[in-house]
Amino acid sequence: TGGILSGVLRLNAPLSFGIMHIAPLITDFMKENPEVRIDIDLSDKRIDLIAEGFDLAIRIGTLQDSSLIAKKISTARQMPCASPDFIKKHGPINTAEDLNNVPGLVYANSRTPADWAYVTPDGKAGTVHVSQRLSATNGDVLRDAAIAGLGVVNLPTFLLFEAINDGTLIPLMVDHDWSELDIFAVYPKTTILPRRTRAFVDFMAWRFDKNPHWNQIKPKA
């Protein structure tokens, strides 16, 4: 069924991803659909969509709630990074093992913030344990601390790609797989999904395609 989209879309999204990547998309969607109103809540805390009356949420990583429908809209790579200044002062970091006990800037909402798993190019799995210097529930804080030379960070590329591409952060062991995070749109199981919700999910999936811009890392030579 065609027709103009209208009504309110209540959306929850993680703070950093929401500001960097969902906010510009919302602007474009609302320009194309002037009758749609959007309420967005930005928080890294997992909320109960149904209890709190949200139509849609963006979730990154492992999904837990089976009462929701999930549509994968994109992916992001995890990548350890440090500033050129930190690497110069600390000494070269050429292997994953070199990260053991290095000052780490860690994401507190992770199940094992100071343990970073990886797979080498030849398929060997391992884990490094960093020394937890700064813990935060927000990735921007950690990225900026890494740029300031306080330690090594291991965050999704959607937070790091600009700093990597402009040379303020150096990616480490880029040939290793530091795990890939799936990005989902999740919504309650309902007999009829409002057209505005479906249209916004499709819009996100189109914009965040299978090879999103944040995964196209081009470090300065």
Side-chain angles (χ1 to χ4, degrees):
T1 54
I4 293 169
L5 298 176
S6 62
V8 180
L9 173 63
R10 295 200 69 222
L11 169 67
N12 167 262
L15 181 62
S16 298
F17 188 77
I19 291 169
M20 288 182 77
H21 303 292
I22 299 291
L25 188 144
I26 282 175
T27 304
D28 293 343
F29 185 81
M30 292 182 81
K31 282 178 181 172
E32 289 183 19
N33 300 280
E35 298 295 310
V36 173
R37 290 179 293 138
I38 291 181
D39 293 348
I40 183 167
D41 170 77
L42 295 173
S43 168
D44 285 353
K45 290 236 178 343
R46 293 267 168 125
I47 53 111
D48 184 326
L49 262 69
I50 296 164
E52 300 197 33
F54 284 93
D55 302 300
L56 183 65
I58 310 305
R59 298 267 167 91
I60 299 169
T62 314
L63 295 179
Q64 294 152 338
D65 193 341
S66 60
S67 68
L68 301 172
I69 295 172
K71 178 183 168 74
K72 183 175 162 182
I73 56 171
S74 199
T75 62
R77 295 165 61 195
Q78 287 274 126
M79 195 166 283
C81 293
S83 72
D85 191 45
F86 178 85
I87 293 168
K88 195 185 296 178
K89 282 183 182 161
H90 190 274
I93 301 172
N94 297 321
T95 68
E97 288 73 30
D98 291 342
L99 287 173
N100 278 311
N101 300 313
V102 162
L105 315 171
V106 305
Y107 183 58
N109 291 342
S110 169
R111 280 198 297 272
T112 55
D115 294 321
W116 301 346
Y118 65 88
V119 179
T120 63
D122 58 0
K124 290 196 181 77
T127 304
V128 298
H129 179 80
V130 294
S131 170
Q132 189 168 306
R133 186 170 188 202
L134 171 66
S135 169
T137 57
N138 175 261
D140 293 73
V141 172
L142 299 169
R143 178 198 59 218
D144 293 350
I147 290 169
L150 295 182
V152 178
V153 77
N154 184 21
L155 289 170
T157 43
F158 63 74
L159 277 165
L160 300 173
F161 74 103
E162 289 170 336
I164 291 172
N165 290 344
D166 69 17
T168 50
L169 286 178
I170 308 294
L172 305 168
M173 280 69 73
V174 289
D175 60 344
H176 289 38
D177 176 7
W178 294 89
S179 83
E180 191 170 79
L181 298 170
D182 289 330
I183 302 171
F184 297 95
V186 299
Y187 43 91
K189 288 175 183 168
T190 166
T191 46
I192 302 168
L193 187 68
R195 282 197 311 120
R196 60 183 173 271
T197 306
R198 186 173 297 286
F200 188 72
V201 170
D202 291 344
F203 190 71
M204 286 191 294
W206 170 68
R207 283 277 287 264
F208 304 147
D209 61 14
K210 289 186 174 60
N211 188 21
H213 62 279
W214 55 74
N215 278 344
Q216 295 164 39
I217 301 295
K218 301 181 189 74
K220 280 191 171 173

